[in-house]
């Protein structure tokens, strides 16, 4: 999406995010059947959700699945097979979705945080919500709902195209999806992830600044019953990350106004009061983990011209400076190696989310919105690489623990 000192040539296209961010909540395509509340494994009736007839890919006992989609083992998507009970829903993977949390309780906003139910891998085109080429990756073969999307806009080869994609079983519940332009590895025991973008195989020539750019993101929507800002006492974001590979392929073509490699996380903070004139308007709340142009980034705010939504970034200082270092950098240079030291942080975002609304009011945006109308409605995280760079980021210990008042 771009929020961190991004020039107009990059941010101008960010309207595509309005289309793809809602791919869990609103997914375009002719093969959609909208689910009733009872089919959504605990989602509230305020959430807009869908189930699809996507092909489901299951990793068998052999280590790798390759070949054309016609030869891939497939089964119907069982997203809507679970029924919600009064107390909780337990799916076949062992995860449990509970009713709205009670006052004083602490819980993870992320559902299926170790990815036991897999992912809905989206197609390449953000304009149709990734509907064309969408595939279910369900390596453990359970019947639970896929809460996670895996988005790879404008990355040339769709994960769902089995002519180019390999599904590898690395052992001990660890899986990797690989194609010529990207790799995504995840551990179903710990929730650790590895994101690799290979844009040297994606771009035929350096972007001029007007073309779509490479994405590799995970994303999830949140239940409104769990995420009303005024009902929360804390929103504790925790994770560790390290840069294990970085290759600059730009050469003399580098233009900082058009080229970057950014590893970002966004929360969508939305007005969900249907009686409000600001209903469904939102703030992109950005948490930058890496930008190859800047070691340290201060907080920022700007209007996303594509979605006409305010973009507020917390900067990198608030994340890393408390520990004295950003380990993606060393001595003023990018620090990437297979044994790089982890950078870790744990930060309560709630005061900054409330401050973001004040910033919005100051800039004349969401002027009819109060904190009581705000909800944290979703997140995404991963690479956005509008420049010609190959890079790998590892992430572990990721959680968004919220405490109700």
């Amino acid at each position: 999406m771009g929020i961190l000192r991004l020039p107009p040539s990059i941010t101008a296209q960010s309207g595509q995010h309005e289309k793809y961010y809602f791919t869990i909540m609103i997914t375009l395509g002719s093969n959609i059947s909208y689910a009733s509340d009872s089919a959504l494994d605990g989602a509230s009736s305020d959430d807009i959700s869908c189930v699809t007839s996507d092909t489901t890919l299951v990793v068998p006992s052999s280590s790798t699945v390759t070949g054309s989609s016609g030869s891939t083992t497939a089964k119907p998507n069982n997203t809507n097979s679970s029924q919600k009970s009064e107390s909780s829903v337990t799916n076949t993977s062992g995860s449990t979705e509970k009713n709205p949390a009670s006052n004083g309780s602490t819980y993870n906003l992320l559902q299926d945080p170790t990815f036991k139910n897999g992912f809905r891998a989206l197609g390449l085109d953000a304009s149709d919500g990734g509907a064309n080429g969408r595939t279910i990756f369900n390596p453990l073969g359970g019947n639970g709902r896929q809460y996670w999307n895996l988005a790879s806009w404008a990355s040339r080869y769709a994960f769902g195209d089995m002519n180019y994609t390999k599904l590898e079983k690395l052992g001990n519940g660890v899986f990797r999806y690989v194609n010529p332009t990207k790799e995504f590895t995840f551990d179903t025991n710990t929730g650790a992830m590895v994101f690799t973008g290979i844009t040297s195989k994606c771009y035929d020539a350096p972007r001029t600044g007007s073309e779509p750019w490479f994405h590799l993101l995970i994303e999830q929507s949140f239940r409104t019953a769990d995420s009303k800002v005024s009902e929360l006492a804390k929103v504790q974001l925790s994770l560790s990350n390290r840069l294990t590979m970085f290759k600059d392929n730009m050469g003399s073509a580098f233009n900082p106004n058009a080229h970057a490699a950014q590893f970002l996380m966004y929360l969508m903070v939305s007005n969900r009061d249907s009686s409000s004139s600001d209903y469904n308007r939102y703030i992109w709340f950005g948490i930058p983990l890496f930008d190859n142009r800047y070691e340290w980034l201060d907080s920022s705010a700007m209007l996303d011209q594509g979605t006409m939504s305010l973009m507020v970034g917390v900067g990198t200082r608030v994340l890393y400076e408390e520990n004295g270092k950003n380990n993606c950098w060393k001595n003023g240079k990018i620090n990437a190696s297979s044994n790089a030291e982890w950078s870790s942080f744990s930060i309560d975002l709630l005061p900054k989310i409330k401050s973001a609304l004040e910033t919005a009011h100051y800039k004349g945006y969401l002027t009819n919105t109060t904190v009581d109308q705000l909800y944290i409605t979703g997140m995404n995280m991963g690479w956005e690489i509008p420049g010609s760079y190959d890079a790998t980021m590892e992430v572990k210990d990721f959680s968004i623990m919220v405490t109700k008042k």
Side-chain angles (χ1 to χ4, degrees):
M1 173 183 326
I3 186 172
L4 310 169
R5 304 186 188 179
L6 288 182
S9 58
I10 293 179
T11 58
Q13 297 182 70
S14 58
Q16 65 184 297
H17 288 255
E18 184 172 31
K19 295 175 181 176
Y20 82 64
Y21 193 87
F22 286 98
T23 47
I24 288 179
M25 293 182 280
I26 305 174
T27 310
L28 305 178
S30 59
N31 64 336
I32 289 176
S33 58
Y34 286 89
S36 66
D37 185 48
S38 63
L40 295 178
D41 292 357
S44 80
S45 59
D46 291 333
D47 295 325
I48 308 170
S49 304
C50 67
V51 295
T52 73
S53 56
D54 303 287
T55 297
T56 301
L57 303 180
V58 182
V59 176
S61 56
S62 58
S63 62
T64 305
V65 178
T66 59
S68 67
S69 58
S71 62
T72 302
T73 301
K75 68 176 183 179
N77 178 21
N78 292 320
T79 300
N80 61 348
S81 62
S82 301
Q83 298 295 317
K84 182 172 66 174
S85 68
E86 291 184 1
S87 58
S88 65
V89 175
T90 303
N91 57 45
T92 57
S93 68
S95 63
T96 301
E97 297 89 32
K98 298 180 179 179
N99 280 338
S102 58
N103 293 346
S105 61
T106 297
Y107 50 93
N108 197 345
L109 269 184
L110 303 173
Q111 299 206 65
D112 191 20
T114 59
F115 318 117
K116 285 182 169 55
N117 294 341
F119 295 83
R120 180 180 287 113
L122 307 178
L124 299 175
D125 188 355
S127 67
D128 69 356
N132 184 23
R134 184 176 55 220
T135 303
I136 298 296
F137 286 153
N138 186 15
L140 296 182
N143 293 325
R145 174 188 174 198
Q146 283 72 46
Y147 290 97
W148 291 99
N149 277 359
L150 183 59
S152 56
W153 316 120
S155 62
R156 196 165 195 160
Y157 301 100
F159 270 134
D161 186 345
M162 300 311 295
N163 291 303
Y164 297 99
T165 298
K166 294 188 299 182
L167 287 70
E168 299 176 346
K169 185 176 181 179
L170 303 182
N172 299 319
V174 181
F175 301 90
R176 178 168 59 208
Y177 303 121
V178 182
N179 70 27
T181 59
K182 56 194 172 290
E183 300 179 7
F184 179 70
T185 305
F186 62 100
D187 187 330
T188 59
N189 300 297
T190 67
M193 296 164 279
V194 183
F195 300 75
T196 297
I198 311 170
T199 66
S200 58
K201 303 294 185 181
C202 182
Y203 303 132
D204 292 326
R207 295 175 61 260
T208 63
S210 59
E211 309 92 338
W213 64 88
F214 175 98
H215 295 70
L216 178 58
L217 309 169
I218 60 168
E219 57 184 35
Q220 183 178 129
S221 62
F222 301 142
R223 301 190 331 156
T224 55
D226 291 338
S227 62
K228 187 174 183 179
V229 172
S230 64
E231 294 180 350
L232 302 178
K234 182 177 287 190
V235 179
Q236 195 76 20
L237 169 65
S238 302
L239 65 77
S240 298
N241 66 287
R242 65 177 181 176
L243 188 69
T244 57
M245 186 269 286
F246 189 83
K247 183 179 180 181
D248 186 340
N249 303 305
M250 290 300 311
S252 60
F254 173 65
N255 176 358
N257 293 327
H259 303 129
Q262 298 174 296
F263 197 90
L264 310 165
M265 177 179 171
Y266 285 94
L267 299 179
M268 176 179 272
V269 182
S270 309
N271 181 324
R272 293 292 294 152
D273 181 353
S274 59
S275 66
S276 171
S277 59
D278 285 338
Y279 178 56
N280 273 345
R281 298 181 73 189
Y282 52 88
I283 297 169
W284 290 114
F285 186 85
I287 301 101
L289 302 179
F290 174 75
D291 185 320
N292 71 299
R293 298 167 299 173
Y294 312 105
E295 179 176 3
W296 297 108
L297 289 160
D298 295 319
S299 59
S300 61
M302 62 185 292
L303 187 67
D304 176 5
Q305 296 295 331
T307 62
M308 296 307 294
S309 298
L310 190 69
M311 305 161 70
V312 176
V314 300
T316 53
R317 294 187 186 278
V318 71
L319 304 178
Y320 299 125
E321 209 166 47
E322 180 179 341
N323 296 325
K325 54 187 173 181
N326 175 355
N327 289 320
C328 292
W329 293 78
K330 186 176 183 179
N331 299 324
K333 296 182 179 180
I334 293 171
N335 178 38
S337 72
S338 58
N339 60 353
E341 187 177 352
W342 292 90
S343 297
S344 301
F345 63 86
S346 184
I347 181 173
D348 180 8
L349 295 177
L350 185 60
K352 298 186 180 300
I353 290 171
K354 293 179 178 179
S355 179
L357 180 61
E358 295 175 1
T359 299
H361 289 168
Y362 177 77
K363 291 183 173 291
Y365 182 73
L366 290 178
T367 55
N368 296 311
T369 297
T370 66
V371 170
D372 194 54
Q373 295 168 311
L374 287 183
Y375 294 77
I376 306 170
T377 50
M379 60 74 61
N380 65 29
M381 178 174 66
W383 283 115
E384 297 194 28
I385 310 182
S388 295
Y389 305 96
D390 301 339
T392 297
M393 186 71 78
E394 297 184 6
V395 176
K396 67 177 182 178
D397 303 328
F398 173 42
S399 65
I400 307 175
M401 303 300 296
V402 298
T403 302
K404 278 205 169 180
K405 292 179 179 177

